[in-house]
Amino acid sequence: MEEKKGIFHKWFKGVEKIKEGVKQQFTRLWSADSLQEEDWEALEEMLVQADLGPILAMELVEEFQELKKQKTENGNWQDWLYGKLASILDGNDSSLFSSAQAGAMKAILLAGINGVGKTTLAGKLARYYSLLGEEVALVAADTFRAAAVDQLEIWAERAGCFFFKGSPGADPGSIIFDGIEAARKKNRGFVIIDTAGRSHVNKNLLAELEKMGRIVQKNFSPENIENLLVIDAMAGQNAFLQAESIGKAIPLNGVILSKWDSQAKGGIVFRIKKELELSIKYLGVGEKIEDLQPFDPDQFVKAIVYDEEVP
């Protein structure tokens, strides 16, 4: 129970920055008798800086202006904002393999640019699902960095799962194929594949990722595959360029936000869901193997809008 509270505390820290700005600006404007155009512009700028993006920021400001015009004695901007933000995250499904074929092998393919923490998240996912009773295999398909293979092997030991690596310099596609076969022989039905970080503007690297995706598709039924994009929670606008490019190489099922701490602005969650129509699956909230939290949209919005912490 104490471990769970600790995880939630780290999760909550990631909304502090956006919560501070939201409460300060909205409260001030709501109670003011008269406002200038620059006051509304300041609110819009705050929302953009919180990574909600210009489209949603403008929409929120316009609707808030109308709400203030119709303000009643018992009016409450917090309930309005909760409803608005919750509706954006409506339908967010943080679960994996919700329609998977029972008894069939499952695969998670992790993709993303350099430095977002895919290898670390692969280890966290391995532990998470091992604790749920899955027989996990970790496949090291990052052939760009020898250190990544060594790092993933350490994570596999910590998670207590099967680990597969290919020969140094081997084609990552062949490593994935051989890793799947090895997992099948070892009766490991839950395969997590770590891929190399790749620039979202490098066509050759994206073509290589597309090839890896096809290999996975040939070995698993569609409902038993989760292609997940790992994004740095502080990436801002660049996260959308990454998702657009990588999403053309492989069909994405959802997003994991890594490096979620007090520096993360939080608004990126709404923009990913609204503009990219991708569900937020997990938050990486620390460096330890247990620091992985399924995304809870309702608690997330409440933590931003109201004076309450996640229990």
Side-chain angles (χ1 to χ4, degrees), residues 8-310:
F8 274 123
H9 179 70
K10 293 176 182 178
W11 179 94
F12 186 75
K13 291 284 286 183
V15 302
E16 282 186 347
K17 188 174 288 289
I18 185 174
K19 180 186 180 74
E20 177 184 333
V22 164
K23 289 189 67 62
Q24 183 181 44
Q25 290 280 11
F26 276 90
T27 300
R28 183 178 69 83
L29 297 185
W30 184 253
S31 58
D33 292 328
S34 61
L35 293 171
Q36 305 299 319
E37 184 62 29
E38 52 263 33
D39 293 309
W40 299 112
E41 291 175 355
L43 174 61
E44 185 173 338
E45 183 180 353
M46 182 275 294
L47 294 172
V48 171
Q49 290 178 348
D51 281 345
L52 276 84
I55 297 174
L56 180 56
M58 185 182 299
E59 191 176 308
L60 286 171
V61 170
E62 290 176 352
E63 291 189 18
F64 185 56
Q65 285 178 306
E66 288 301 314
L67 184 74
K68 184 171 173 59
K69 289 178 183 178
Q70 302 166 16
K71 181 179 178 182
T72 63
E73 186 176 342
N74 297 320
N76 188 328
W77 68 263
Q78 289 176 301
D79 290 345
W80 161 78
L81 186 59
Y82 168 79
K84 178 66 178 179
L85 296 181
S87 69
I88 294 171
L89 297 181
D90 186 44
N92 188 92
D93 183 6
S94 62
S95 66
L96 300 184
F97 306 108
S98 56
S99 59
Q101 294 180 2
M105 289 183 71
K106 298 186 283 286
I108 294 175
L109 179 67
L110 297 176
I113 68 167
N114 291 313
V116 294
K118 292 183 301 300
T119 301
T120 298
L121 279 167
K124 292 176 181 178
L125 285 167
R127 176 188 182 270
Y128 185 88
Y129 282 97
S130 292
L131 291 176
L132 291 177
E134 298 283 358
E135 295 293 338
V136 178
L138 274 175
V139 176
D142 182 350
T143 57
F144 290 177
R145 295 186 305 126
V149 178
D150 297 336
Q151 183 185 0
L152 193 64
E153 187 168 14
I154 293 172
W155 283 114
E157 291 174 359
R158 292 175 180 172
C161 68
F162 174 66
F163 174 74
F164 180 86
K165 64 178 180 180
S167 303
D171 175 71
S174 67
I175 291 175
I176 291 175
F177 180 85
D178 292 342
I180 293 169
E181 287 300 305
R184 185 175 283 117
K185 290 177 182 178
K186 292 284 186 179
N187 293 318
R188 301 284 174 151
F190 198 102
V191 181
I192 300 174
I193 302 165
D194 179 33
T195 67
R198 58 198 65 242
S199 170
H200 56 289
V201 297
N202 188 310
K203 292 182 179 179
N204 291 333
L205 294 179
L206 291 175
E208 185 180 70
L209 179 63
E210 184 178 2
K211 176 185 174 182
M212 288 188 274
R214 288 198 303 268
I215 292 171
V216 174
Q217 288 173 353
K218 289 179 180 178
N219 285 273
F220 300 85
S221 58
E223 57 270 30
N224 284 43
I225 300 172
E226 292 280 355
N227 294 324
L228 302 179
L229 177 66
V230 181
I231 290 177
D232 186 323
M234 294 177 282
Q237 168 65 27
N238 200 37
F240 299 90
L241 302 177
Q242 296 166 29
E244 288 172 350
S245 295
I246 293 175
K248 292 176 183 177
I250 56 172
L252 294 172
N253 300 100
V255 170
I256 298 178
L257 290 174
S258 65
K259 305 179 183 180
W260 183 264
D261 57 23
S262 59
Q263 297 304 308
K265 298 175 183 178
I268 192 173
V269 164
F270 301 102
R271 196 170 181 199
I272 288 171
K273 186 66 174 65
K274 183 177 178 66
E275 296 184 30
L276 302 179
E277 298 182 347
L278 289 171
S279 287
I280 313 299
K281 299 292 186 177
Y282 290 95
L283 304 178
V285 295
E287 294 300 318
K288 296 179 180 178
I289 196 168
E290 66 271 15
D291 289 343
L292 185 71
Q293 184 65 36
F295 181 67
D296 185 327
D298 186 59
Q299 290 285 12
F300 180 77
V301 176
K302 285 180 178 177
I304 292 172
V305 176
Y306 297 110
D307 292 318
E308 55 184 76
E309 183 166 337
V310 179

